[in-house]
Amino acid sequence: QIKVIDRPVIRSLDVKVISPGYANIPLIEQKDNGNVSALVGSNIQISLLSNKELKSAHIEFEDSTKTDLTIQSNLVKGSFKIRKDNSYIIVLSDLGDNKNLQPVRYYIKALYDSNPEIELVYPTENINLGNDNRVPMEVKVNDDYGFTRLNLNYKLTSSRYEPAQEKFSSVEIAIDKKVKEQIVDHVWNLTKLNPAVSDVYSFYVEIFDNDNVSGPKSARTQIINVRVPSLDEILAQVDETQENIQDEMQKTLQDAEELKKELEKIDKDLKQDKQELTWEEKEKIEQALDKFEKLQEKMESVNENLKQMQNELQQNQLLSEETLEKYMELQKLMDEMTSNKIKKAMQQMQDML
């Protein structure tokens, strides 16, 4: 005699993946697919229909843990949280204690919230404190889901007048917590700390992500030292910087004057209605164009150095008249070399190559 057993089977399976709220990931719905790839802490909701009324049902995980499911006739519901990579089967028992044969094994891939990243774009090295007691800084941060806070941590490292501090103090820097990658500009005002000559303050910036499942993770920048210089040191630095800039401008000025003469000669030669340029003439034009491009780059460098010195001093009157005169002379010559007449001549040279 052959006895046929009508075992329970899954007719349909619905899976919902509800990610942790902080991640702002939309609800994911799957039909007849129990494989799940989701962020750790995600809630997985399961709903299935069996071919017959059931007595019990549970999820059996690869690590031997079990989760009971609720039953209403042939409707089964339940949920579990993702903590790690795993796999599972769904075990059904009917009213006669008959179980489903060879249940499908589904796989769980746990996705982990990455650590945040931070970079101190400026300053990148130890600096002197300016006359206004302010330290401008630029910080780049990124994370896969967002942030909870950005902190500036600082302490007095060295002083002639009071003991150094062992622990860092902290102030929060305003940040858009939902923007995953951003550059934050901040100005740290040390006035309330009453910095004195030769005092050294150390600081670093620390970012915290918004992982409320495993706890916020953080990343920090390198430590930067900020020293309060004396007036004598400031003036000595001014003299050295101005001397360097004057030397650089003098050399640039000579190069510019030589190139101007060279361009005028080439322009004169081109006006002689030549049918075709010789190899030597083409070579001269190419060299002149290359020199002009490099000279413009050098002018930008001089400009940048001058602006940096002005910003560091924060008092333009400390710049010597000689430095400013040389700069104006150089600027006038560059204006002449970038006039419409010269530009037209250079375009003509370019077209003839």
Side-chain angles (χ1 to χ4, degrees):
Q1 184 179 359
I2 298 174
K3 184 178 181 181
V4 177
I5 299 175
D6 183 20
R7 294 183 180 275
V9 296
I10 296 174
R11 290 299 188 194
S12 66
L13 174 66
D14 294 302
V15 176
K16 290 183 180 179
V17 181
I18 304 172
S19 300
Y22 78 86
N24 290 316
I25 299 175
L27 172 71
I28 298 173
E29 296 184 279
Q30 300 176 180
K31 188 76 174 174
D32 296 324
N33 177 17
N35 297 313
V36 175
S37 178
L39 192 62
V40 168
S42 295
N43 185 36
I44 310 303
Q45 294 184 352
I46 288 179
S47 176
L48 66 87
L49 285 174
S50 172
N51 62 327
K52 59 193 303 190
E53 189 173 354
L54 299 173
K55 181 180 179 181
S56 67
H58 68 269
I59 296 174
E60 196 172 293
F61 294 94
E62 184 182 3
D63 60 9
S64 299
T65 58
K66 294 182 180 180
T67 296
D68 291 328
L69 303 173
T70 59
I71 297 169
Q72 186 178 353
S73 184
N74 67 332
L75 175 63
V76 179
K77 289 186 176 182
S79 65
F80 62 89
K81 282 192 180 294
I82 291 185
R83 300 295 181 192
K84 60 182 180 179
D85 286 351
N86 214 334
S87 68
Y88 68 95
I89 58 173
I90 301 174
V91 180
L92 308 177
S93 295
D94 64 14
L95 300 178
D97 288 329
N98 298 306
K99 291 182 171 53
N100 51 329
L101 286 178
Q102 299 179 331
V104 175
R105 180 165 293 277
Y106 300 108
Y107 292 88
I108 298 169
K109 176 63 179 175
L111 305 179
Y112 292 88
D113 187 337
S114 300
N115 289 342
E117 295 180 350
I118 186 169
E119 177 190 356
L120 189 58
V121 180
Y122 179 84
T124 56
E125 56 187 18
N126 298 336
I127 58 172
N128 283 337
L129 184 64
N131 293 337
D132 61 357
N133 292 335
R134 297 171 187 267
V135 176
M137 60 185 70
E138 186 176 300
V139 184
K140 183 178 181 181
V141 294
N142 68 78
D143 186 66
D144 38 11
Y145 298 110
F147 311 98
T148 53
R149 65 187 186 277
L150 178 67
N151 285 352
L152 168 64
N153 303 289
Y154 65 91
K155 69 176 181 178
L156 178 64
T157 306
S158 173
S159 176
R160 297 177 183 174
Y161 314 102
E162 58 181 303
Q165 297 168 346
E166 293 185 7
K167 295 183 179 179
F168 283 90
S169 298
S170 181
V171 292
E172 188 167 342
I173 298 174
I175 187 175
D176 190 332
K177 297 174 182 178
K178 293 183 180 179
V179 177
K180 298 175 185 178
E181 183 174 349
Q182 56 188 296
I183 291 179
V184 181
D185 292 311
H186 179 71
V187 177
W188 178 29
N189 191 340
L190 283 74
T191 302
K192 291 183 179 180
L193 302 178
N194 298 314
V197 172
S198 298
D199 281 356
V200 177
Y201 288 87
S202 300
F203 79 89
Y204 67 90
V205 187
E206 187 171 19
I207 187 70
F208 294 82
D209 72 6
N210 61 353
D211 184 353
N212 61 11
V213 174
S214 306
K217 299 177 291 299
S218 70
R220 60 172 62 179
T221 67
Q222 74 275 29
I223 292 177
I224 298 292
N225 293 323
V226 181
R227 183 175 177 275
V228 183
S230 66
L231 182 58
D232 288 342
E233 289 174 322
I234 293 175
L235 293 176
Q237 181 63 40
V238 169
D239 290 341
E240 183 182 348
T241 305
Q242 288 192 147
E243 189 176 328
N244 291 338
I245 288 181
Q246 283 182 20
D247 290 344
E248 187 177 1
M249 285 196 291
Q250 184 64 40
K251 178 68 169 63
T252 306
L253 197 57
Q254 290 172 358
D255 292 343
E257 287 176 346
E258 288 175 10
L259 180 58
K260 184 184 177 185
K261 292 176 183 177
E262 197 173 329
L263 289 174
E264 287 172 349
K265 184 178 184 305
I266 293 174
D267 184 44
K268 186 179 178 181
D269 291 342
L270 290 176
K271 289 177 180 177
Q272 295 179 2
D273 296 329
K274 292 186 178 181
Q275 292 288 331
E276 190 175 340
L277 292 176
T278 65
W279 182 86
E280 290 80 4
E281 287 171 331
K282 286 184 179 180
E283 188 74 13
K284 282 183 180 179
I285 291 174
E286 287 178 352
Q287 289 175 359
L289 293 172
D290 185 55
K291 283 181 183 178
F292 185 77
E293 187 177 334
K294 288 179 179 176
L295 196 60
Q296 284 183 311
E297 291 174 2
K298 203 165 186 181
M299 266 296 293
E300 288 176 8
S301 174
V302 169
N303 256 329
E304 200 62 40
N305 289 338
L306 199 60
K307 285 178 184 176
Q308 185 178 347
M309 185 171 70
Q310 289 174 341
N311 290 337
E312 287 177 357
L313 294 173
Q314 297 175 353
Q315 292 183 359
N316 293 345
Q317 61 264 32
L318 289 177
L319 291 174
S320 70
E321 289 186 15
E322 186 181 357
T323 300
L324 290 174
E325 284 174 5
K326 280 188 179 295
Y327 177 73
M328 295 303 293
E329 185 181 354
L330 184 60
Q331 187 64 57
K332 182 182 177 183
L333 187 58
M334 284 305 295
D335 288 342
E336 290 176 9
M337 293 179 65
T338 53
S339 66
N340 289 334
K341 181 180 177 183
I342 296 292
K343 282 181 180 177
K344 187 176 179 181
M346 292 191 71
Q347 184 60 51
Q348 185 182 355
M349 285 187 260
Q350 186 74 51
D351 294 341
M352 294 181 74
L353 291 177

